[in-house]
Amino acid sequence: MFLSWKEFKKGKIKKADVKHFQKDLIKNLLNLYYELKSKTYEHLTYHSFYIQDPKLRYIHKATVKDRVLHHAIFRILYPLFDKTFIFDSYSCRISKGTHRAVNRLNQFTRKVSQNYREPCFILKCDIRKFFDSIDHTILIQLIKKKIKEENVIWLIDKIIESHCVLEGKGVPMGNIISQLFANIYMNELDQFIKHQLKIKYYIRYCDDFVIIDSNKKHLIGLILEINNYLLNNLKLSLHPDKITIRKYHQGVDFLGYVSFPYYRALRTRTKNRIFRKIKENKTKENFNQSLQSYLGILKHCNSYKVKKEIDSIIV
């Protein structure tokens, strides 16, 4: 059983027990090493729970032993696959993230609209039940294109098969390795959109993506082509209720912000969630840490009124 370093930091493990902690850590790592070497390793059951982020998500948390292995594999696979990804893939990558994706959206809309003088439309799409629908066979075949070592493939296959929603489908939300698997899987769509459909202004974050164009009819025509590719090649489909085409001046809701020409607002749901969390937690010890994270979100949009309302709540 792996001991938790967080428990030690919180004082739940006394300093006198540090040597015992270190011995257990080494023992557990050696046991894991021998399991891998002898190919007797088996991935243990996930601990599952729901979180509100802001919508309800079903998270699967691996045991400490399995998470150690996930991180080790991630550190090897990430640099191999990351260099094959397109520039405008922003989820779970070094020097990327939501804020850079939203800034990139602003750059693209300025170019397409010629500094907001010409029409500019944004197609926004979402994959239906993305993590639950990832096909294990397709995923392992994509990984095999880069990884040839049989022992490594055996181990990766063990991790992929450790979770199923339906037979042969699904990767667990909440694992660092699942985030990489998602990017490997969706990179196929990225390459199709960029190199076969020849789309210049395309941004993806996990299973959400936008395409910017001056021609609305062109965007409408792309929907069927993209959905057919997803169905035929990745066994995925677009969420029919989350396909939208809007003029940029109407505002585009993407990654927590609503972007307009010359202006960016915080999504209403996000704003209301921040207000609720501040009211609930303002008397707790770690409140200042939470407050700073909220203010960090607000730094990336026009938020004067929101900050004033926060001030009125915490006074």
Side-chain angles (χ1 to χ4, degrees):
M1 185 73 178
F2 274 80
L3 296 173
S4 170
W5 184 253
K6 286 184 178 179
E7 288 182 344
F8 169 71
K9 289 178 71 176
K10 289 178 180 178
K12 294 182 180 179
I13 300 174
K14 296 178 181 179
K15 289 186 178 181
D17 295 329
V18 171
K19 288 185 179 180
H20 179 68
F21 174 88
Q22 291 173 333
K23 285 180 181 179
D24 276 354
L25 179 62
I26 292 170
K27 178 184 174 182
N28 288 323
L29 288 173
L30 284 173
N31 286 340
L32 178 57
Y33 167 76
Y34 288 124
E35 285 181 17
L36 294 173
K37 188 175 181 179
S38 62
K39 286 192 173 181
T40 58
Y41 166 78
E42 293 293 338
H43 199 289
L44 298 177
T45 304
Y46 292 91
H47 170 60
S48 303
F49 54 94
Y50 288 96
I51 63 169
Q52 200 81 29
D53 182 40
K55 64 182 180 181
L56 197 65
R57 297 184 186 276
Y58 195 35
I59 302 299
H60 295 79
K61 183 179 180 181
T63 63
V64 176
K65 182 181 81 169
D66 292 326
R67 293 206 305 273
V68 167
L69 190 59
H70 293 175
H71 278 267
I73 295 171
F74 179 87
R75 291 181 67 177
I76 299 300
L77 295 187
Y78 178 86
L80 295 175
F81 283 96
D82 188 71
K83 61 187 178 184
T84 70
F85 299 155
I86 65 168
F87 181 85
D88 287 308
S89 165
Y90 287 88
S91 174
C92 305
R93 297 178 66 196
I94 296 170
S95 300
K96 298 293 182 177
T98 56
H99 299 135
R100 283 186 169 88
V102 174
N103 289 339
R104 187 69 160 167
L105 173 64
N106 182 59
Q107 293 175 18
F108 283 170
T109 53
R110 287 179 71 93
K111 288 180 180 178
V112 171
S113 66
Q114 298 181 38
N115 287 326
Y116 311 127
R117 294 193 302 268
E118 300 295 332
C120 177
F121 298 90
I122 292 91
L123 167 65
K124 182 169 176 275
C125 299
D126 184 290
I127 306 296
R128 186 172 192 171
K129 295 183 178 179
F130 173 59
F131 280 92
D132 289 349
S133 302
I134 291 177
D135 186 89
H136 292 182
T137 302
I138 294 174
L139 176 58
I140 199 69
Q141 290 302 320
L142 294 175
I143 292 171
K144 283 181 177 179
K145 290 180 180 180
K146 292 287 290 183
I147 306 297
K148 305 301 181 184
E149 172 58 47
E150 289 184 6
N151 289 333
V152 178
I153 292 297
W154 168 82
L155 180 55
I156 294 172
D157 192 54
K158 282 279 186 184
I159 294 172
I160 292 173
E161 295 298 332
S162 67
H163 174 81
C164 288
V165 178
L166 298 173
E167 186 176 353
K169 284 186 177 289
V171 297
M173 290 184 68
N175 284 350
I176 187 172
I177 197 72
S178 295
Q179 297 167 354
L180 179 59
F181 288 160
N183 274 337
I184 292 170
Y185 208 81
M186 287 297 285
N187 185 53
E188 298 299 299
L189 176 65
D190 297 342
Q191 301 298 334
F192 171 73
I193 288 176
K194 294 296 289 185
H195 300 298
Q196 294 190 45
L197 297 183
K198 307 292 184 184
I199 302 301
K200 187 174 182 180
Y201 301 112
Y202 165 76
I203 301 167
R204 182 179 64 81
Y205 188 95
C206 196
D207 61 325
D208 292 331
F209 63 89
V210 292
I211 298 174
I212 302 95
D213 201 286
S214 59
N215 188 329
K216 184 177 180 179
K217 288 184 179 179
H218 180 228
L219 293 177
I220 293 171
L222 291 175
I223 296 171
L224 183 60
E225 287 189 81
I226 292 171
N227 199 51
N228 284 342
Y229 179 83
L230 289 169
L231 287 169
N232 296 332
N233 295 275
L234 298 175
K235 296 185 181 180
L236 300 174
S237 62
L238 296 176
H239 196 304
D241 299 328
K242 295 183 179 179
I243 302 171
T244 61
I245 298 178
R246 293 176 64 87
K247 291 181 179 179
Y248 187 51
H249 75 261
Q250 294 176 311
V252 180
D253 189 338
F254 185 52
L255 302 180
Y257 299 96
V258 183
S259 298
F260 300 86
Y262 311 110
Y263 185 83
R264 184 186 300 161
L266 194 65
R267 179 188 287 163
T268 301
R269 281 182 299 169
T270 306
K271 179 179 65 176
N272 291 338
R273 188 173 77 253
I274 288 174
F275 291 156
R276 186 181 71 252
K277 291 290 185 181
I278 289 175
K279 289 174 183 177
E280 291 173 355
N281 301 316
K282 64 180 181 177
T283 58
K284 294 183 179 179
E285 288 183 8
N286 61 347
F287 171 70
N288 189 58
Q289 185 178 348
S290 299
L291 179 61
Q292 293 307 312
S293 69
Y294 298 144
L295 295 177
I297 294 171
L298 296 174
K299 282 168 57 178
H300 298 274
C301 63
N302 300 79
S303 56
Y304 177 78
K305 290 183 179 179
V306 178
K307 289 176 181 176
K308 292 291 286 184
E309 190 162 348
I310 289 175
D311 288 341
S312 68
I313 293 172
I314 62 179
V315 169

